[in-house]
Amino acid sequence: MPSPITAALHLLSLLAVCFQTSPASGFDSFTQYAVGREVGEESFHPELQRQKRHVILFDLPPLEYAIDIEVSLTNSSFLAPIKEYFRNLHLPVSINISDVEMTVSSINITTVCVPSENKSCCSCESGYAWPSTGCSDLISCPALSRAPNQPCGYTRERPFNGPYCEPQNGDSCGMGEPTVMNMSVRLDTAFHDDLRNHSSQLYRKYKADLDKAFKASYGCLPGFVSATTTGFRPGSVEVNYRVEAGSASFQQLEHSSRFVTQYLDEPYSIVPTSFTAEITNRTNFTVSPAHIFEGDTIQMVCEINTTSENMTWYRDSQIILNSSRHSVRTDNNTAMSQAFLTITNVTQEDSGTYKCTFANRYRSLNLIYEGTKEIQVSPLRIISYSNDYKVHCNSPEIQANSPVLFCCIDGQLPLLTGDWKVNGAISITGVPSFSSNCTEYKLNMTDSLCLAEHSGTVTTYTCELQTGHGARSSRDIRVMYFRAAQVRISSSVNTTVSVGYGFSLKCESDTSNYDSISWEIHSGDRIQAVECAACIRTNKSMATSMLVVNTATQDWNGTYICTLSQDSLNSSASVTINVIPLPLKQHILIDPAGAPIMCGTPQALTCCISANSMGDYDVKFVVQEKEFQAEKEEQGNFFCYSYNYTETECREKKLEAYCKFVNSNEQEVSSNSINLSLIPDKDLISCSENNTFGKEGDILKKSCSVLNTTFIRGSNIYKCFNSSWKMEKNDCVSEQINNLLLMAESLVNSPSAKVGLPNFLQNLRNQTELLQNDNSSANLAAIVTILYNISSIPVEAKQSTISDYFTTVDIIVTDFKKELWADLNEGQVPISSLLLNAVERFSENLQPVNNTIPHLSTETLELQGMVVTEHSHADYNKNFSRLGNLTANVLIDNIETLPPNSTIVSVAYSALGHILPVKENMSVNSLVISTALSCERNQNFHINMTFQKENISLKMPLCVFWDFKLNESRGGWNDRGCTQTEEGSNVICSCNHLTPFSILMSPDEPAHNSVEDYITHIGLAISILSLVVCIVIESLVWKTVTNNTTSYMRHVCILNTATSLLIADIWFIVTASINVQKRNICIAATFFIHLFYLCGFFWMLSLGLILFYRLVFILHNTSKTSQKAVVFCLGYGCPFVFAVTTIAVTLPWNTYTRKDACWLNWKDSKAVLAFVIPALAIVAMNLFITAVVIIKILRPNIGDRTNKQERKTFFQICKSLVILTPLLGLTWGFGLATIIRNSHQTFHILFALLNALQGLFILVFGTLWDNKIKEALLKRNSLSRWSSQQTKSTSLILVTPMFSMSYPFSRTFNNLCGKTGKYTVSSSEPSSASTENISKSDSLLN
């Protein structure tokens, strides 16, 4: 702004009126027509003053004016001189107008207008610009009318009434922040790939021509900066270009775009309607809230200062529509357009780039306003919070200063709110407080709410923070409350207990939630922790710990302290137990251990204990329940108690004696028994050395030698032979093994057994290695006893410890000790079974180290295992391949169902299986595998093991496990609960329990090539062929031979019997050709064999019953339909019931078939009885019917029989037996002889022969021997004359008596017994009625 002392004159030059003036006329006279306005007015808008002599008089001090002057030129050539004139004018110039002195300080040309048709094309001079108020109305003049370097002109109405150009400033038109418009246009030409290459000639030519055209076309936009081609896209040719200019209106931009074609050659062929402009920096895009968290509800708003037709929201190029979480709405008016997008419950997946677009079309231009915003959704994180607390409720410090819980987020949120929730058995609440990013919760500690039974429980405090827009976050803070426990100890004894006796201590607490309970023994200066897992039984739910000592020693003497630990809070109680000395049973030496004694002669009985035993005992000998006081005598390092016993009752008998020690606590212990055998007669004495008497063959057992402070275990056995005591056997262990045995007994009964076991195992291994060539069965048995005793001690699963134990086992199971094992297995409990139990128990008691079980192997043992954790999802699958050439695999699936921290340990044995007792003709043919679980297994537990056969020539594999309870606890192999599948050289065993497993196999193949096998297979082939022929013949002659009811029923029974036996025989052949391991086929074959053999039997029974019916109920007739219904129900219904019931009952237990053959099981389920019982019952029934037939034949006639009649009767009986025996299945009766143990092979051969050929017998005696069938066959072959001669030659097999009794019961009884009611005297031949009955019977038998 000029100073107030000066004035400024603005010259506006417009072409409006045409007139002519001379150049010399000057411009001074023009000043008198000026019209001014005071610069200081509020709203200054220059306007043309057209009144010629209007003078403003100022009475005030001089002011500054700005005067717009319009100069109209009639000739455009005057413009340049006028500009030059004003440029060269010397200012300031003083002018007096109407006595008013004015000074012109500056004169400038601002606006120049050139006429164009009925409008003007106006432009601003340099340094001047159009005012911003009319900027959007500026429409550029045609570009081609503008001279080079000429300012842009804009079309104005004529006459032009302003506004005019003003001095350029920040508010002038086009002076604001430039707008970037991404535009595109389509050329109607084919796209060439060179347009993708920026360095190609075609690309450069296109870009140069188009840039020139774009700059010329858009150069007059207000605030124009640049117009540049950015690339080409296919689709004809899509040209992308960018225009940067001031804020241009839709009309201005469309108007400029139309000029582009004027600057391009025709080959470019622009499509006029394809112009599109995208404006990205004129959209106001806001998001609320500014910081977005998961769960918030956010709102996005886009607005532009114009009206829009279409508004669309995008997220990562995908259109957003209304949905359950998205809400889209618009607001449009004449001055502004707004688009709203609301998203509820946002997640991190909602993060991305959001875009709003406003689309308009004006003539040939598509205008799009765009606004984009990158939205980042963050989780509402609680970055700091209280650590888990452990609070001692009754602590004075806690009572005075209550704990304060807190949680904070990672930013400042003014609307942050929150809540605290309490969940736990101990419900201690607090007082919350909040700040902009944190919340605190001060607990109100109340001792009465912290109950003892809930001590150690966790109360969860949930801190939940909210943003105020929907997002929330929570954090759990765990507070574990403890309360000092009240502990007490109760004892099963009254403070004292004797050595060798047991006692128990029970530690109880009023707090059930604790970390551990520990026991310590304080004795003088010695403090010893009780580390005996087998002794301590803890019930966590009952808050009790029971310390059970089965055998007390002096190590258990002292004050017991039971400590209950809850985190760092310990509570304890104590009790004192005094252990009174008393010798252990195994520490009492007896002499003799067993001896014969002579009647009336004193026998010295002695018991000795170590002199180190601190105690005074009352010792008595007990013989046959009579007590005798013993005399004490010190012998070296032993106290010996003796008594001379004399037996006065002189008869041969056995006596039992022992010594009894009683201590001051009135508790006693008895020694091992001394077995005495009485010799009643002195004349029988043969041996009498050292006052030890015995007769020939008597056994004397003497104690082993005595060491310095102890004695050797075992005994020396002598036998009286040839009047002298001869050493029979030395069962004494070596001194080294004896010491180990004593140490093992002491260790097992020690409070620190777990700590001392590793060193003991190392010592045991060393001593065993030194004695590995020893051939003493006593030492071997003692080592097994040691291994068994110490296996009950839990120990850490360290490789050195396991290796020491396993190496000891390796040494004692070597091959050269097999004879010793055979001898030791003859005892009450086989020592090999005890060894297997020891190794299994040792592996079961292994405790993982760092949550692992090592994989370890020695010469004959291999161990693997695992610990089940919460994240264990893989199966337990272990391969054993380190034991020579044999391999095995153990698979247990679904181990995730086992409790966490459970252990599974498997041990493979390569040598132990060969020393375990086994049945005759069977042998262990694989590794032995034992698997132990540290927890109870569930009901659906299954273990699958794959064993490699050691000897592939052995047959009939059987999956077995060692059952320690079998054979009156002697142990033995058992196959219960296991199934096997043979796959080449491997056998897969699937079992539902855990014990040591292996496979047993027979050294010999079954006698497949025996005489019975040949007879069976050849006979079955003949039978099958015969049965087929029988069925064919019956089919051919059926109508001919079934002309009466009796004959019809007979042939129905024979045909169905043949069919059933044919099907059964075929299935029998099938079973001989399939592998017994194919269980499904084997089960099906067994079912059909069972079913159709029973059908054959029941049809034989039906045939027998029809025969019986026709013999006994002669005058009683039953319809054919009724008889058919009965026989078919009997022939197929009953067998079906037996077969289905058998498979339904036994198959779920896997005991339907035998393991070595496809036939009904006997050993496990006795399923074979479902065949044997009905079959034998039918045989017995048919045998009875046969007897009735024979009785009928032998019925008495009137008068004496002639020789001819006797021979005829005998012939009839023989014929009946020949026919009925195969037809009624009587040959199966020979099966009774085959089931008798050690029966002669003749019975087996005879049984196989008769039954294998049963089909042939049915064909011969049931079909071909039938005269009616022969006649029918001959008729079919045109031999009717010969067959007619044979019609009356039927054999009289049965002679039916004549009846004269009228009552049915009487007739039935007499017929059954073969009696007649009335006889004819005139003739010995049967009557017509009798003949008719005979013919009926004959049709049944022939």
Side-chain angles (χ1 to χ4, degrees):
M1 178 72 69
S3 64
I5 303 176
T6 64
L9 177 65
H10 294 271
L11 175 64
L12 183 87
S13 177
L14 298 173
L15 287 175
V17 180
C18 294
F19 63 95
Q20 186 173 3
T21 183
S22 64
S25 61
F27 291 94
D28 294 330
S29 60
F30 282 95
T31 58
Q32 61 181 324
Y33 305 112
V35 178
R37 177 173 289 182
E38 187 176 346
V39 177
E41 291 181 8
E42 277 187 14
S43 182
F44 175 70
H45 295 286
E47 61 179 295
L48 178 65
Q49 304 296 328
R50 296 188 179 274
Q51 297 162 359
K52 300 233 176 174
R53 288 183 176 86
H54 185 73
V55 178
I56 299 175
L57 301 176
F58 298 95
D59 295 331
L60 297 173
L63 298 174
E64 180 179 338
Y65 293 89
I67 302 173
D68 292 333
I69 301 174
E70 178 182 312
V71 178
S72 299
L73 304 176
T74 59
N75 192 339
S76 61
S77 61
F78 293 161
L79 182 60
I82 292 175
K83 289 181 179 181
E84 184 66 24
Y85 174 82
F86 281 110
R87 227 181 353 258
N88 297 328
L89 188 63
H90 297 287
L91 298 176
V93 175
S94 295
I95 301 175
N96 190 311
I97 300 176
S98 300
D99 298 328
V100 176
E101 189 74 21
M102 297 182 67
T103 301
V104 178
S105 61
S106 64
I107 299 175
N108 295 297
I109 298 175
T110 62
T111 307
V112 177
C113 294
V114 178
S116 177
E117 298 179 355
N118 60 343
K119 295 185 179 182
S120 299
C121 183
C122 301
S123 61
C124 293
E125 290 295 293
S126 178
Y128 290 84
W130 295 100
S132 59
T133 55
C135 191
S136 60
D137 299 328
L138 298 176
I139 302 299
S140 63
C141 301
L144 294 177
S145 65
R146 182 163 60 93
N149 300 323
Q150 181 181 351
C152 290
Y154 300 95
T155 302
R156 313 298 284 181
E157 296 291 334
R158 295 178 63 182
F160 178 43
N161 296 324
Y164 306 109
C165 296
E166 296 178 348
Q168 191 173 26
N169 55 44
D171 294 330
S172 299
C173 180
M175 295 304 293
E177 181 183 354
T179 300
V180 177
M181 292 168 283
N182 293 316
M183 302 187 67
S184 65
V185 68
R186 185 167 67 254
L187 305 182
D188 192 12
T189 58
F191 184 84
H192 197 280
D193 285 341
D194 285 350
L195 293 177
R196 301 180 191 273
N197 185 3
H198 291 196
S199 61
S200 68
Q201 185 176 358
L202 182 64
Y203 181 91
R204 290 198 300 268
K205 181 179 183 309
Y206 269 53
K207 178 174 172 57
D209 292 345
L210 290 168
D211 283 353
K212 181 178 178 181
F214 292 150
K215 289 178 182 177
S217 302
Y218 299 102
C220 288
L221 288 175
F224 175 79
V225 178
S226 65
T228 308
T229 303
T230 58
F232 303 93
R233 292 181 289 112
S236 297
V237 176
E238 292 286 341
V239 182
N240 295 330
Y241 61 100
R242 183 176 62 202
V243 176
E244 190 173 355
S247 179
S249 67
F250 199 1
Q251 293 81 0
Q252 290 173 330
L253 194 59
E254 190 275 337
H255 180 77
S256 298
S257 297
R258 280 186 283 155
F259 294 146
V260 175
T261 57
Q262 301 178 22
Y263 288 97
L264 288 174
D265 296 335
E266 185 176 350
Y268 283 97
S269 185
I270 286 182
V271 179
T273 60
S274 64
F275 284 95
T276 301
E278 295 180 359
I279 302 176
T280 58
N281 60 346
R282 288 301 181 212
T283 303
N284 184 21
F285 196 137
T286 59
V287 180
S288 176
H291 301 286
I292 303 172
F293 298 96
E294 283 187 300
D296 274 340
T297 296
I298 63 173
Q299 185 178 60
M300 291 177 251
V301 181
C302 278
E303 60 183 16
I304 58 173
N305 294 324
T306 185
T307 300
S308 176
E309 300 172 0
N310 298 302
M311 288 162 277
T312 309
W313 285 95
Y314 296 87
R315 174 182 176 270
D316 296 335
S317 302
Q318 297 293 325
I319 296 178
I320 300 175
L321 301 175
N322 281 311
S323 67
S324 58
R325 294 177 51 241
H326 299 81
S327 174
V328 177
R329 66 181 181 89
T330 59
D331 186 8
N332 201 359
N333 54 49
T334 58
M336 179 182 296
S337 294
Q338 290 180 314
F340 300 88
L341 172 62
T342 304
I343 306 176
T344 60
N345 194 25
V346 296
T347 65
Q348 285 186 285
E349 294 180 355
D350 291 318
S351 298
T353 301
Y354 286 80
K355 180 174 71 174
C356 61
T357 62
F358 298 85
N360 289 329
R361 184 169 184 84
Y362 181 73
R363 295 182 181 177
S364 63
L365 177 66
N366 290 321
L367 181 62
I368 299 174
Y369 286 89
E370 277 189 7
T372 58
K373 209 77 164 179
E374 187 72 25
I375 301 299
Q376 185 65 41
V377 180
S378 305
L380 184 62
R381 290 190 297 265
I382 296 178
I383 59 170
S384 61
Y385 51 90
S386 302
N387 294 325
D388 291 348
Y389 271 93
K390 293 179 180 179
V391 177
H392 297 166
C393 298
N394 44 1
S395 168
E397 181 182 353
I398 293 296
Q399 294 290 334
N401 300 304
S402 296
V404 177
L405 311 180
F406 71 91
C407 56
C408 302
I409 62 172
D410 55 353
Q412 302 288 330
L413 292 178
L415 297 178
L416 182 68
T417 60
D419 189 20
W420 287 85
K421 297 178 182 178
V422 183
N423 182 24
I426 299 178
S427 182
I428 295 180
T429 59
V431 178
S433 61
F434 297 92
S435 63
S436 61
N437 67 330
C438 290
T439 178
E440 292 183 347
Y441 195 68
K442 186 173 183 179
L443 300 179
N444 294 324
M445 292 303 302
T446 305
D447 186 50
S448 60
L449 295 177
C450 191
L451 303 177
E453 58 267 24
H454 295 149
S455 179
T457 60
V458 173
T459 297
T460 302
Y461 292 85
T462 302
C463 159
E464 185 177 79
L465 296 178
Q466 304 170 8
T467 62
H469 299 282
R472 60 184 61 203
S473 179
S474 63
R475 175 68 65 177
D476 289 342
I477 302 173
R478 293 161 50 91
V479 177
M480 183 177 289
Y481 291 99
F482 295 99
R483 185 182 182 89
Q486 300 294 325
V487 182
R488 61 185 180 276
I489 297 180
S490 58
S491 173
S492 63
V493 297
N494 187 16
T495 71
T496 60
V497 67
S498 299
V499 172
Y501 279 75
F503 67 95
S504 63
L505 302 178
K506 185 177 182 181
C507 181
E508 299 176 280
S509 169
D510 59 353
T511 299
S512 58
N513 291 304
Y514 55 87
D515 296 329
S516 63
I517 295 180
S518 60
W519 291 85
E520 288 182 341
I521 303 175
H522 292 219
S523 179
D525 296 333
R526 178 177 62 91
I527 299 177
Q528 185 175 16
V530 179
E531 298 185 17
C532 176
C535 305
I536 300 175
R537 304 166 191 169
T538 300
N539 188 330
K540 194 169 181 67
S541 61
M542 300 295 294
T544 60
S545 178
M546 184 76 74
L547 175 61
V548 179
V549 180
N550 295 320
T551 304
T553 63
Q554 288 297 328
D555 292 335
W556 295 97
N557 184 72
T559 299
Y560 289 77
I561 298 178
C562 172
T563 302
L564 184 142
S565 300
Q566 304 175 82
D567 192 47
S568 58
L569 184 64
N570 295 330
S571 305
S572 20
S574 63
V575 66
T576 300
I577 299 295
N578 295 315
V579 180
I580 307 300
L582 188 67
L584 295 174
K585 185 172 187 174
Q586 61 268 27
H587 293 167
I588 301 174
L589 174 66
I590 57 174
D591 186 47
I597 62 172
M598 192 172 63
C599 180
T601 302
Q603 172 65 46
L605 304 177
T606 305
C607 287
C608 298
I609 60 173
S610 173
N612 295 330
S613 178
M614 304 296 295
D616 190 13
Y617 310 109
D618 179 23
V619 181
K620 294 179 180 178
F621 278 92
V622 180
V623 182
Q624 296 297 95
E625 299 182 358
K626 296 180 181 179
E627 294 185 354
F628 305 94
Q629 189 68 43
E631 295 182 0
K632 180 179 180 180
E633 181 183 359
E634 186 174 355
Q635 296 180 4
N637 293 324
F638 292 89
F639 290 130
C640 292
Y641 301 85
S642 59
Y643 177 75
N644 291 323
Y645 175 73
T646 303
E647 177 60 40
T648 58
E649 186 178 346
C650 296
R651 60 183 179 85
E652 190 170 351
K653 61 179 178 178
K654 300 292 184 181
L655 303 177
E656 183 178 287
Y658 59 88
C659 57
K660 181 174 65 175
F661 289 74
V662 181
N663 64 3
S664 59
N665 204 33
E666 297 299 326
Q667 291 178 313
E668 62 182 45
V669 63
S670 300
S671 68
N672 291 318
S673 296
I674 303 173
N675 297 313
L676 304 174
S677 57
L678 187 64
I679 304 173
D681 191 353
K682 293 183 179 180
D683 295 337
L684 298 175
I685 293 175
S686 175
C687 299
S688 58
E689 300 174 17
N690 299 323
N691 292 325
T692 302
F693 304 97
K695 60 182 185 296
E696 285 293 322
D698 279 349
I699 299 298
L700 172 65
K701 285 187 178 182
K702 299 286 289 183
S703 298
C704 299
S705 59
V706 176
L707 300 177
N708 186 25
T709 59
T710 186
F711 57 89
I712 299 295
R713 299 288 178 86
S715 61
N716 289 313
I717 301 175
Y718 299 88
K719 186 175 184 180
C720 181
F721 180 73
N722 291 335
S723 302
S724 177
W725 292 108
K726 305 293 185 180
M727 174 73 76
E728 181 78 7
K729 186 178 181 181
N730 182 357
D731 268 345
C732 297
V733 301
S734 65
E735 182 178 351
Q736 297 91 333
I737 299 300
N738 190 76
N739 291 335
L740 288 172
L741 190 57
L742 292 173
M743 292 170 59
E745 292 171 350
S746 176
L747 182 65
V748 170
N749 295 323
S750 169
S752 56
K754 181 179 178 181
V755 177
L757 182 59
N759 290 333
F760 176 81
L761 285 174
Q762 186 177 9
N763 188 16
L764 175 63
R765 171 182 177 174
N766 295 336
Q767 292 297 328
T768 308
E769 287 177 342
L770 293 175
L771 297 173
Q772 59 183 340
N773 295 324
D774 179 66
N775 203 24
S776 169
S777 59
N779 283 341
L780 184 58
I783 293 173
V784 173
T785 302
I786 293 171
L787 292 172
Y788 179 78
N789 288 340
I790 62 177
S791 66
S792 64
I793 304 174
V795 66
E796 291 183 346
K798 295 180 179 179
Q799 287 204 3
S800 58
T801 303
I802 302 172
S803 179
D804 289 338
Y805 194 97
F806 280 11
T807 302
T808 304
V809 176
D810 286 343
I811 295 171
I812 64 175
V813 296
T814 52
D815 289 340
F816 80 91
K817 295 182 182 291
K818 282 187 177 180
E819 293 183 2
L820 298 179
W821 283 107
D823 181 45
L824 293 173
N825 285 338
E826 296 298 326
Q828 184 176 0
V829 176
I831 297 299
S832 59
S833 177
L834 189 66
L835 177 61
L836 178 61
N837 197 356
V839 178
E840 183 180 4
R841 190 165 68 162
F842 174 79
S843 62
E844 185 177 357
N845 285 325
L846 288 174
Q847 297 179 341
V849 178
N850 297 326
N851 231 26
T852 58
I853 300 291
H855 182 185
L856 181 143
S857 64
T858 57
E859 187 176 347
T860 66
L861 297 170
E862 183 178 356
L863 178 141
Q864 296 188 67
M866 71 172 293
V867 179
V868 179
T869 63
E870 294 180 355
H871 308 291
S872 296
H873 299 295
D875 296 334
Y876 178 79
N877 192 346
K878 301 297 181 182
N879 292 311
F880 295 87
S881 58
R882 299 183 180 181
L883 301 178
N885 297 324
L886 292 179
T887 62
N889 173 269
V890 178
L891 173 63
I892 304 175
D893 53 8
N894 298 324
I895 64 171
E896 62 270 11
T897 61
L898 299 176
N901 300 320
S902 302
T903 59
I904 310 175
V905 181
S906 297
V907 181
Y909 314 77
S910 62
L912 196 55
H914 300 302
I915 63 174
L916 287 167
V918 69
K919 293 180 181 179
E920 188 178 356
N921 295 328
M922 300 293 285
S923 64
V924 176
N925 197 31
S926 67
L927 298 175
V928 176
I929 299 286
S930 67
T931 300
L933 274 177
S934 64
C935 62
E936 292 293 331
R937 63 180 185 272
N938 55 38
Q939 294 181 349
N940 297 324
F941 177 84
H942 278 88
I943 180 172
N944 297 306
M945 293 158 291
T946 302
F947 295 97
Q948 180 187 359
K949 298 177 186 177
E950 184 176 6
N951 184 354
I952 60 174
S953 65
L954 300 183
K955 305 298 179 182
M956 300 176 64
L958 187 64
C959 290
V960 292
F961 69 96
W962 187 261
D963 189 348
F964 293 103
K965 298 179 181 179
L966 203 64
N967 300 326
E968 298 180 352
S969 297
R970 280 181 53 82
W973 293 110
N974 192 344
D975 63 348
R976 177 179 52 82
C978 292
T979 59
Q980 64 272 349
T981 303
E982 189 173 4
E983 294 183 356
S985 60
N986 293 329
V987 176
I988 301 174
C989 299
S990 179
C991 303
N992 58 11
H993 53 82
L994 286 175
T995 38
F997 295 95
S998 187
I999 57 172
L1000 293 181
M1001 300 186 71
S1002 172
D1004 302 314
E1005 290 191 41
H1008 294 302
N1009 299 323
S1010 63
V1011 177
E1012 294 95 319
D1013 279 345
Y1014 285 120
I1015 293 174
T1016 299
H1017 289 91
I1018 295 173
L1020 283 176
I1022 296 173
S1023 285
I1024 290 174
L1025 182 61
S1026 300
L1027 292 169
V1028 171
V1029 173
C1030 177
I1031 294 171
V1032 171
I1033 292 174
E1034 289 285 346
S1035 301
L1036 292 175
V1037 302
W1038 184 261
K1039 291 184 179 180
T1040 304
V1041 299
T1042 57
N1043 51 8
N1044 60 60
T1045 302
T1046 303
S1047 180
Y1048 177 83
M1049 294 307 301
R1050 172 182 180 274
H1051 285 282
V1052 165
C1053 292
I1054 290 177
L1055 182 60
N1056 281 279
T1057 301
T1059 303
S1060 299
L1061 291 177
L1062 176 61
I1063 298 173
D1065 289 345
I1066 291 173
W1067 274 106
F1068 192 91
I1069 294 297
V1070 170
T1071 60
S1073 61
I1074 64 173
N1075 191 339
V1076 72
Q1077 301 298 333
K1078 297 180 179 179
R1079 303 304 302 168
N1080 292 335
I1081 299 178
C1082 191
I1083 290 170
T1086 302
F1087 174 78
F1088 287 116
I1089 291 173
H1090 183 203
L1091 173 63
F1092 286 103
Y1093 270 130
L1094 280 182
C1095 287
F1097 273 103
F1098 275 94
W1099 278 109
M1100 294 175 196
L1101 176 62
S1102 298
L1103 182 62
L1105 291 176
I1106 291 174
L1107 175 60
F1108 182 80
Y1109 172 73
R1110 286 304 178 188
L1111 288 174
V1112 178
F1113 301 96
I1114 298 173
L1115 300 179
H1116 186 274
N1117 286 320
T1118 307
S1119 67
K1120 183 191 296 184
T1121 303
S1122 300
Q1123 292 184 46
K1124 284 174 62 178
V1126 171
V1127 296
F1128 271 94
C1129 289
L1130 190 64
Y1132 290 119
C1134 292
F1136 185 77
V1137 171
F1138 275 104
V1140 171
T1141 303
T1142 304
I1143 194 172
V1145 171
T1146 59
L1147 188 60
W1149 301 97
N1150 199 25
T1151 57
Y1152 179 59
T1153 62
R1154 292 169 54 180
K1155 292 180 172 59
D1156 57 347
C1158 293
W1159 183 231
L1160 297 173
N1161 190 294
W1162 165 255
K1163 183 178 180 180
D1164 299 317
S1165 62
K1166 304 297 186 290
V1168 73
L1169 292 178
F1171 174 77
V1172 173
I1173 292 176
L1176 292 181
I1178 291 172
V1179 169
M1181 185 68 181
N1182 285 344
L1183 188 62
F1184 169 76
I1185 294 172
T1186 304
V1188 172
V1189 172
I1190 295 173
I1191 293 173
K1192 283 289 186 178
I1193 295 174
L1194 293 176
R1195 72 186 187 282
N1197 291 322
I1198 299 298
D1200 296 332
R1201 294 187 180 182
T1202 64
N1203 292 333
K1204 183 178 179 180
Q1205 289 176 330
E1206 292 289 347
R1207 286 195 302 271
K1208 187 176 182 179
T1209 301
F1210 177 75
F1211 174 76
Q1212 290 175 343
I1213 293 174
C1214 292
K1215 183 179 179 181
S1216 299
L1217 290 175
V1218 170
I1219 294 174
L1220 293 179
T1221 297
L1223 288 182
L1224 299 185
L1226 301 182
T1227 56
W1228 287 84
F1230 289 98
L1232 290 173
T1234 64
I1235 64 175
I1236 300 174
R1237 182 174 296 181
N1238 300 325
S1239 60
H1240 198 275
Q1241 190 179 9
T1242 304
F1243 293 103
H1244 294 266
I1245 295 174
L1246 187 62
F1247 176 73
L1249 180 63
L1250 293 176
N1251 290 286
L1253 295 175
Q1254 188 174 12
L1256 177 62
F1257 296 150
I1258 292 175
L1259 173 64
V1260 173
F1261 300 115
T1263 302
L1264 298 181
W1265 207 332
D1266 191 332
N1267 293 317
K1268 289 185 179 181
I1269 292 178
K1270 287 188 290 185
E1271 181 182 351
L1273 291 174
L1274 291 174
K1275 282 183 179 180
R1276 291 180 63 88
N1277 291 282
S1278 301
L1279 296 175
S1280 58
R1281 286 182 296 176
W1282 180 87
S1283 65
S1284 64
Q1285 295 175 2
Q1286 303 296 322
T1287 305
K1288 296 183 180 180
S1289 62
T1290 56
S1291 301
L1292 297 178
I1293 300 173
L1294 299 177
V1295 180
T1296 306
M1298 296 177 61
F1299 301 94
S1300 63
M1301 297 184 180
S1302 60
Y1303 293 101
F1305 179 80
S1306 301
R1307 292 200 303 270
T1308 302
F1309 178 79
N1310 283 283
N1311 287 329
L1312 182 61
C1313 298
K1315 297 179 180 179
T1316 59
K1318 192 174 184 179
Y1319 299 93
T1320 58
V1321 179
S1322 60
S1323 176
S1324 63
E1325 296 297 325
S1327 66
S1328 62
S1330 178
T1331 305
E1332 182 183 357
N1333 288 327
I1334 289 173
S1335 67
K1336 290 183 178 180
S1337 299
D1338 189 58
S1339 70
L1340 289 170
L1341 296 175
N1342 287 343

